[in-house]
Amino acid sequence: MRFLCCLQVLLFLSHQLSAQSPPTNATSLDTLLQDHSFRAFLRPRTGILYDATVPSNLTGIKLSAMRLRSGSLRRRGVSSLKEFSIPTGVIVKPYVTRLVFVYQNLANFSQVYYPLSGYDYVAPVLGLLAYDAKNLSAVNLPELDVTASKGPIRIDFSDLEEPIPQGSSVECVSFDSKGKASFSDSVGNTCVTEKQGHFSVVVKSLAPSPAPAPAPASAPQKDKKKSSESNSRTWITVGSVLGGLVLLGLLLCLVLRCRSYKKQERMREMERAGETGEALRMTQVGETRAPTATTTRTQPVLETEYAA
């Protein structure tokens, strides 16, 4: 029983250790946020937007979820899901009776998970992903394919945009499930799309004044950047391996401790059994002390007494 308790504690510590490291890419981030968004459905009601909490190492990200019927979504749409406006005629594949829309606002993590070279974000990356709502305790669910057939899904960035540099034009950017970016024109701080995914608005980075430097100088910088990225990945791998070894060592120590404890318990039981037995008087025999009985059960009788 004690061994099982120790094993549960070890598994809990292992989970806590893995939870301390943030997801390494956008796909693993979506999986983690799907798990936490479903936890918001304690007593779910259809068509109600529920705010969810995120792990402490992702503080700043805003997360919400809404459960809908597929038929109702197609007939009525959703007029307001945060910054998203979903029209009628939405087709969900594969078909499910109920689905959950997970809303993400990546805030200061936008550049971390969706880096864009040559562009600056003027609004956070917003995500809208759909999942099957059949089992609200499920994890690692695949995304559903949502397509707007009658009109586009609109994303209004009016309340999120930062000041735009003078002379810069705002562009919409969308990311598919593989993180590939696609650009389009922004119409009045509003972007449109026909599918679910991640979206934001960006401007081209202002190029600094050119400095007289030889052209090959950029190659070492790229090599240095690649080297730093490789080093960071190496440290992450080394940290994971060391963490696994530490957990394995803890498990081995717990097993050895449990065996030692059981052995000590047996010794204590034997000592208690010996202490509860009948105490014998000690007698000096030469230079040795030995236990002796005070009386015998049957008194000895000489054979001559029978003859008499």
Side-chain angles (χ1 to χ4, degrees):
M1 186 64 182
R2 289 179 177 270
F3 175 74
L4 293 177
C5 293
C6 294
L7 185 59
Q8 290 177 354
V9 171
L10 185 62
L11 292 175
F12 175 76
L13 292 175
S14 175
H15 176 74
Q16 291 296 107
L17 182 62
S18 62
Q20 291 177 0
S21 56
T24 56
N25 54 55
T27 302
S28 58
L29 176 67
D30 290 339
T31 302
L32 179 65
L33 294 182
Q34 177 265 314
D35 178 23
H36 282 265
S37 64
F38 275 40
R39 296 180 189 181
F41 293 118
L42 298 178
R43 295 180 180 178
R45 295 176 59 188
T46 301
I48 303 298
L49 188 65
Y50 294 88
D51 292 331
T53 58
V54 297
S56 58
N57 55 7
L58 295 175
T59 300
I61 293 180
K62 297 178 182 179
L63 185 65
S64 302
M66 177 185 290
R67 188 179 69 162
L68 298 166
R69 291 180 179 272
S70 296
S72 176
L73 173 64
R74 185 167 186 175
R75 292 191 304 270
R76 302 177 183 177
V78 180
S79 60
S80 177
L81 199 163
K82 296 291 187 179
E83 290 79 22
F84 291 87
S85 177
I86 305 174
T88 59
V90 169
I91 300 174
V92 180
K93 293 182 180 180
Y95 177 80
V96 293
T97 305
R98 288 184 175 87
L99 73 154
V100 172
F101 274 124
V102 174
Y103 164 86
Q104 305 172 2
N105 182 332
L106 300 189
N108 53 319
F109 287 89
S110 299
Q111 186 66 36
V112 175
Y113 291 102
Y114 294 93
L116 275 179
S117 177
Y119 290 87
D120 295 327
Y121 284 104
V122 294
V125 172
L126 303 180
L128 183 67
L129 304 176
Y131 300 94
D132 188 1
K134 183 178 181 180
N135 182 6
L136 295 179
S137 61
V139 296
N140 297 323
L141 290 176
E143 297 176 17
L144 299 176
D145 185 16
V146 175
T147 305
S149 61
K150 293 184 178 181
I153 299 172
R154 298 182 180 275
I155 311 107
D156 185 4
F157 290 95
S158 300
D159 297 333
L160 299 176
E161 281 189 354
E162 299 176 356
I164 300 172
Q166 187 176 4
S168 299
S169 59
V170 177
E171 296 183 63
C172 296
V173 59
S174 61
F175 300 91
D176 60 16
S177 58
K178 296 181 180 180
K180 182 180 179 181
S182 301
F183 297 90
S184 60
D185 294 333
S186 171
V187 180
N189 301 326
T190 300
C191 298
V192 295
T193 180
E194 294 182 352
K195 291 183 174 293
Q196 83 280 12
H198 292 84
F199 314 90
S200 187
V201 285
V202 297
V203 294
K204 289 186 177 180
S205 301
L206 296 177
S209 57
S218 60
Q221 293 179 358
K222 292 181 179 179
D223 294 340
K224 185 176 180 181
K225 183 177 180 181
K226 291 181 180 179
S227 177
S228 62
E229 292 178 355
S230 177
N231 289 337
S232 62
R233 292 177 182 175
T234 302
W235 279 113
I236 292 174
T237 304
V238 171
S240 302
V241 173
L242 291 178
L245 292 176
V246 170
L247 292 176
L248 183 61
L250 289 174
L251 178 60
L252 181 60
C253 291
L254 287 174
V255 171
L256 295 176
R257 179 60 181 169
C258 290
R259 290 184 177 179
S260 175
Y261 178 81
K262 289 182 179 180
K263 185 175 181 180
Q264 292 176 3
E265 282 294 319
R266 294 195 191 99
M267 293 296 296
R268 292 193 188 100
E269 291 178 1
M270 294 175 63
E271 291 175 357
R272 286 195 294 267
E275 292 173 355
T276 55
E278 182 178 357
L280 298 178
R281 187 177 62 182
M282 303 299 292
T283 303
Q284 187 76 22
V285 180
E287 296 181 355
T288 304
R289 292 179 59 84
T292 57
T294 55
T295 59
T296 57
R297 293 179 179 271
T298 306
Q299 294 294 331
V301 179
L302 298 176
E303 293 182 0
T304 55
E305 293 182 6
Y306 287 104

